[in-house]
Amino acid sequence: MLLPLTSLDTPENEQLQLAKTLWVEGDWAALIALANDIDDDADNTQLKIYLAAAYAQLDDCANASASWQLVEQRGGEDRNERLWRYRLLLSGVHNSLARARAVNGELQKGQEHWNTSLDLVIYGPQQRLATQVRAKQQLKQLGLPESWAVKSFEKDDVKYNVSYGLLADLHEQYPNDPAILIGLAESAQRQGQFDEAIRHWQTLASILQKNMPQAYYDRLDEAYQNQKSFPLGSSEEEQLSGEIDKHLVLKQLHQAFKPSLYLEIGVQTGKSFLLANCEALGVDPMPRPNIKLRKNHTLLRMSSDDFFENHADQYLESPPDLVFIDGMHLFEYALRDFINVERYAGPNTVVVVDDIFPGHPAQAERVRRTRAWTGDVWKLAVVLEEHRPDLMIQKLDVYPTGLMVVRGFGGDGDVEKMNSFFELSNCFDFTTEKLLKYVCREGSVVYLNSI
């Protein structure tokens, strides 16, 4: 606590000195407790003024009004005391303005209001220290990091972006708070830091899951379009392998199975979607097809979760013959897509899953930091092999990040089986050793002649 501060040239008792110190610090609860413990007599008008002002800061209008009425009933205060009351009221107004600025991330403007708030009630060399103490106390009450109070006094650091920097500090304390992630993503995007924006939007998707609104997918899409190409990692982190391009493999699958209905989750530029000569349905919340779609192509701009929950019955009246899953590069998204596809699968349905073979552990991280990025979709292969021995699973070592072909769907019973381990999947221990096993593509199938 600061030393007691005085502002009037009149003798004061200890309680009044303590009340002024608590006001300077902004400890409204302690100030109210102090004032309420003092007898209601004719000698504590200033304490009642502090009490009313403290209640006002806590938005307790009823008690604030009652305290002001007690002050008014006393009457007869001299000119200095009346002036003091007005100054204290103005001090409270500026404190409220400072809090509003802090919530909005405008700490420099908030600091100016805190300075003005204390200018009205204290004097002398302690003022700057008092302002920092007040700022820390108010930030703590708002649930914001107290460290922001120090940053608000850093006037000369023009390179420091207050809003983004403060949100980043808060993100360290609350990494799964969607509101903070949205703020970080928007701040990065408006500054042209599109790779950072992409990371934050995708992290938001990992938290919101099927509740991720289309509006945020739209912002992620805008970030990707502005980024052009994601920043490269090291040459080792970007390594890829495979003896044949995946689009050639997909073309062979179309030729081999001759599907009547093709479903693709994750269309992107449409290169794989264009391979379908049959009726084709594409689902993607942020498609960017750079090819002309044919009459047999239907492209839906929505998430796969939205599609399966609200539209699949309309479009999948008959089982799809061939399905390509290449959506969000997160394990739980791929798993949900697989479970949802199986609900509509028939005995002849073939499902192909992309990105099961990361070329380097960095590519398999959930937060993207390489241009070649599979995320942790590779876990789906582990889950299916361990929990679905009834399925025929073949892993193809194709360029750039492998494919998995799944067949042998048997009906509703399999869907129930998939749902039964969906909740357990978050508890599976996917160790680095297992990841490295799949990075090395052990046991993968290179050629298609066994299909």
Side-chain angles (χ1 to χ4, degrees):
M1 179 181 291
L2 294 173
L3 294 174
L5 301 169
T6 61
S7 57
L8 295 175
D9 296 329
T10 56
E12 297 176 337
N13 57 35
E14 287 187 16
Q15 289 86 357
L16 187 55
Q17 289 181 341
L18 181 56
K20 288 185 176 182
T21 300
L22 292 173
W23 174 266
V24 167
E25 292 183 353
D27 193 343
W28 319 123
L31 178 53
I32 289 171
L34 171 68
N36 282 331
D37 284 343
I38 298 175
D39 292 335
D40 186 18
D41 56 43
D43 298 325
N44 64 358
T45 302
Q46 284 197 42
L47 277 173
K48 290 300 179 184
I49 295 174
Y50 277 117
L51 180 61
Y55 276 130
Q57 287 299 309
L58 294 177
D59 201 25
D60 188 343
C61 298
N63 279 313
S65 178
S67 299
W68 284 122
Q69 287 177 8
L70 287 175
V71 172
E72 292 291 341
Q73 289 170 6
R74 297 182 188 282
E77 74 265 28
D78 60 23
R79 180 177 180 277
N80 283 341
E81 191 169 281
R82 184 178 293 276
L83 179 61
W84 171 248
R85 190 201 309 183
Y86 294 152
R87 293 172 72 90
L88 197 65
L89 283 170
L90 286 172
S91 175
V93 170
H94 279 284
N95 185 75
S96 297
L97 291 171
R99 287 165 63 95
R101 291 291 193 178
V103 169
N104 200 39
E106 302 173 276
L107 281 196
Q108 198 59 54
K109 292 184 180 295
Q111 184 230 330
E112 293 171 4
H113 283 296
W114 274 313
N115 279 336
T116 303
S117 176
L118 294 179
D119 275 343
L120 290 163
V121 294
I122 66 171
Y123 311 93
Q126 280 189 295
Q127 182 182 334
R128 179 175 174 83
L129 175 59
T131 305
Q132 290 198 44
V133 171
R134 166 71 72 83
K136 286 184 177 181
Q137 178 66 239
Q138 297 306 287
L139 290 167
K140 181 180 179 181
Q141 292 176 17
L142 292 167
L144 302 174
E146 294 178 50
S147 61
W148 289 12
V150 178
K151 290 178 180 176
S152 68
F153 288 85
E154 298 173 354
K155 296 181 179 180
D156 299 327
D157 189 1
V158 295
K159 294 182 179 179
Y160 181 75
N161 179 270
V162 175
S163 297
Y164 187 84
L166 299 184
L167 285 168
D169 287 348
L170 198 56
H171 179 55
E172 290 183 4
Q173 297 185 39
Y174 308 100
N176 295 324
D177 189 306
I180 296 171
L181 282 164
I182 293 167
L184 281 169
E186 285 290 351
S187 179
Q189 197 147 332
R190 292 175 186 181
Q191 296 174 65
Q193 299 174 352
F194 300 113
D195 57 329
E196 284 296 312
I198 289 168
R199 292 187 185 99
H200 294 313
W201 287 126
Q202 288 179 329
T203 301
L204 181 68
S206 73
I207 293 171
L208 296 183
Q209 296 290 323
K210 61 176 66 177
N211 297 315
M212 178 79 164
Q214 180 62 44
Y216 298 147
Y217 280 119
D218 292 342
R219 292 297 282 157
L220 174 59
D221 186 28
E222 291 173 20
Y224 266 119
Q225 292 190 54
N226 282 288
Q227 180 63 37
K228 305 301 182 185
S229 58
F230 203 81
L232 286 165
S234 67
S235 57
E236 185 180 55
E237 291 173 337
E238 297 290 350
Q239 65 183 352
L240 299 167
S241 63
E243 299 190 14
I244 184 173
D245 183 82
K246 74 175 181 182
H247 292 98
L248 293 177
V249 173
L250 290 170
K251 184 177 181 180
Q252 291 182 38
L253 290 173
H254 276 278
Q255 293 172 345
F257 294 109
K258 296 180 175 57
S260 298
L261 176 60
Y262 171 68
L263 172 63
E264 182 166 304
I265 298 173
V267 176
Q268 294 184 312
T269 61
K271 185 175 181 179
S272 55
F273 195 47
L274 188 63
L275 296 173
N277 293 317
C278 61
E279 181 182 353
L281 178 64
V283 179
D284 194 321
M286 42 186 194
R288 286 179 283 122
N290 53 16
I291 48 92
K292 185 177 180 180
L293 299 181
R294 299 170 183 164
K295 290 182 179 181
N296 58 297
H297 293 155
T298 300
L299 179 57
L300 302 177
R301 186 182 182 89
M302 62 180 66
S303 69
S304 56
D305 288 307
D306 182 12
F307 169 74
F308 282 111
E309 184 172 348
N310 300 305
H311 307 280
D313 288 345
Q314 174 188 351
Y315 288 96
L316 299 179
E317 294 180 352
S318 60
D321 301 297
L322 182 61
V323 181
F324 183 39
I325 297 177
D326 185 21
M328 181 68 74
H329 290 187
L330 296 174
F331 160 65
E332 62 273 22
Y333 274 77
L335 178 58
R336 273 203 310 276
D337 287 339
F338 190 92
I339 291 173
N340 286 325
V341 164
E342 186 169 11
R343 288 193 176 98
Y344 293 89
N348 296 320
T349 298
V350 178
V351 177
V352 183
V353 181
D354 197 16
D355 300 309
I356 65 162
F357 288 148
H360 186 277
Q363 298 173 22
E365 294 179 9
R366 287 177 62 86
V367 178
R368 185 174 189 175
R369 65 180 181 88
T370 54
R371 184 172 298 177
W373 182 57
T374 65
D376 58 349
V377 174
W378 62 274
K379 295 176 182 177
L380 183 58
V382 180
V383 167
L384 295 181
E385 288 180 327
E386 291 184 0
H387 295 269
R388 293 299 301 275
D390 55 304
L391 296 175
M392 298 172 56
I393 299 172
Q394 293 171 294
K395 295 173 290 183
L396 310 181
D397 186 10
V398 300
Y399 180 87
T401 52
L403 295 173
M404 176 173 61
V405 180
V406 184
R407 294 181 294 163
F409 298 100
D412 294 338
D414 293 337
V415 176
E416 293 177 4
K417 196 181 299 182
M418 288 293 290
N419 284 327
S420 69
F421 74 81
F422 181 75
E423 295 299 327
L424 298 175
S425 63
N426 292 327
C427 304
F428 294 154
D429 180 22
F430 297 106
T431 63
T432 302
E433 288 73 24
K434 268 188 175 176
L435 171 58
L436 291 175
K437 169 186 174 183
Y438 282 88
V439 169
C440 295
R441 293 162 160 78
E442 292 183 6
S444 65
V445 179
V446 177
Y447 300 107
L448 298 175
N449 53 12
S450 60
I451 293 180

